[in-house]
């Protein structure tokens, strides 16, 4: 069964510092992996996704993630944090349900950005 | 282009009541999925519908039901509401079903409070 684990429920960085949000997955088949961001009282917005091909995936707002099969990881990074990056971030893996598919989410990481 | 829309945005019900939540997918999208997000947790999969047929069901009781209409909009129904049903209910749409590579686009959600 596919699952994801996000290390650190709350993370704080200074504005301008590196953002690093960790995600490890478990999958018996080649995974499709996603990062979503959720701002307060809003739905989820896709940041980036990995399906096949290039293992370094670039997304919106300067975020990128690297799929590392040997480490079963899909960590999210951004070189320089901005105050607007304060939000909750969810890693997800696509699970095939036989007749369809679904996303299985991690528990989320609340990212705080300080001046 | 309009994104995924959901109604109502907020809802307050009492235990034992019934609730209907509505979702309109992005134009051209044929697949709709429903997720429940309890405060402080990641979204949990409830249902997926494609071409008006149920294609996946999460680990939720039979009090939860859904359907998809010919115009691909969808309703989620919850009977005999419990306090634990209080959550943000998210609807996501995607263009197709097969393959699982398609991005699921989320709506802003309906926040349900059960008193």
């Amino acid at each position: 069964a596919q699952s994801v684990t996000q290390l650190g429920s709350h993370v704080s960085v200074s504005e301008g510092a590196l953002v690093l949000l960790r995600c490890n997955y478990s999958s018996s088949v080649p995974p499709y992996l996603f990062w979503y961001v959720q701002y307060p009282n809003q739905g989820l917005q896709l940041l980036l996704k990995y399906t096949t091909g290039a293992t370094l995936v670039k997304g919106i707002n300067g975020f990128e993630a690297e799929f590392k099969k040997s480490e079963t990881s899909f960590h999210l990074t951004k070189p320089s944090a901005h105050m607007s990056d304060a939000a909750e971030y969810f890693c997800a893996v696509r699970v095939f349900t036989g007749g369809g598919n679904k996303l299985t989410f991690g528990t989320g990481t609340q990212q705080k950005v300080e001046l | 282009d309009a994104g995924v829309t959901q109604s109502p945005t907020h809802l307050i019900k009492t235990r034992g009541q019934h609730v209907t939540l509505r979702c309109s997918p992005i134009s051209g999208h044929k697949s709709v999925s429903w997720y429940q997000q309890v405060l402080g947790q990641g979204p949990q999969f409830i249902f997926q519908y494609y071409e008006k047929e149920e294609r996946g069901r999460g680990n939720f009781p039979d009090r939860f039901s859904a359907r998809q209409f010919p115009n691909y909009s969808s309703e989620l129904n919850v009977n005999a509401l419990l306090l634990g049903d209080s959550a943000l209910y998210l609807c996501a749409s995607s263009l197709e079903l097969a393959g699982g590579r398609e991005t699921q686009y989320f709506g802003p959600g309906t926040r349900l409070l059960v008193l």
Side-chain angles (χ1 to χ4, degrees):
Chain A
Q2 290 95 327
S3 65
V4 293
T5 301
Q6 291 184 243
L7 297 176
S9 59
H10 292 80
V11 175
S12 181
V13 296
S14 299
E15 191 175 33
L18 172 71
V19 174
L20 171 60
L21 302 177
R22 301 179 185 274
C23 172
N24 288 89
Y25 70 90
S26 172
S27 178
S28 57
V29 298
Y32 295 165
L33 297 160
F34 304 77
W35 274 101
Y36 283 86
V37 61
Q38 186 175 36
Y39 297 100
N41 300 312
Q42 295 187 25
L44 301 174
Q45 180 182 10
L46 179 71
L47 284 175
L48 48 80
K49 68 178 181 180
Y50 169 80
T51 54
T52 58
T55 57
L56 182 62
V57 180
K58 295 186 183 297
I60 62 171
N61 301 338
F63 285 94
E64 62 182 36
E66 186 171 9
F67 170 65
K68 292 186 176 181
K69 184 178 179 180
S70 61
E71 298 177 8
T72 62
S73 68
F74 190 56
H75 301 331
L76 182 70
T77 61
K78 181 175 179 178
S80 177
H82 190 271
M83 295 299 291
S84 62
D85 295 327
E88 189 153 23
Y89 293 80
F90 292 95
C91 182
V93 63
R94 176 63 55 82
V95 177
F96 296 95
T97 61
N101 51 75
K102 67 177 184 179
L103 291 173
T104 292
F105 288 87
T107 52
T109 297
Q110 186 72 45
Q111 173 72 64
K112 184 178 180 180
V113 181
E114 299 176 326
L115 290 172
Chain B
D1 290 340
V4 178
T5 60
Q6 293 185 243
S7 63
T9 56
H10 295 81
L11 203 54
I12 299 175
K13 292 285 188 179
T14 57
R15 283 177 295 175
Q17 286 189 312
H18 162 91
V19 68
T20 297
L21 310 181
R22 296 177 175 82
C23 171
S24 292
I26 292 171
S27 178
H29 284 196
K30 299 179 181 179
S31 177
V32 170
S33 298
W34 288 95
Y35 293 81
Q36 180 197 64
Q37 186 180 18
V38 174
L39 194 63
Q41 297 182 20
Q44 297 290 318
F45 172 75
I46 310 175
F47 286 110
Q48 183 181 42
Y49 275 78
Y50 178 71
E51 291 281 17
K52 295 169 288 182
E53 292 187 3
E54 182 182 306
R55 293 303 189 98
R57 184 184 183 114
N59 188 24
F60 281 81
D62 291 342
R63 298 185 297 107
F64 288 77
S65 63
R67 55 179 176 169
Q68 187 177 32
F69 298 100
N71 66 353
Y72 303 112
S73 67
S74 177
E75 284 183 353
L76 175 69
N77 295 283
V78 187
N79 293 323
L81 285 167
L82 303 174
L83 296 180
D85 295 331
S86 296
L88 179 67
Y89 288 85
L90 295 165
C91 173
S93 77
S94 58
L95 188 61
E96 296 289 346
L97 182 66
R101 300 185 182 191
E102 297 75 25
T103 297
Q104 291 193 6
Y105 296 89
F106 284 81
T110 293
R111 190 164 296 280
L112 172 66
L113 177 61
V114 182
L115 300 176

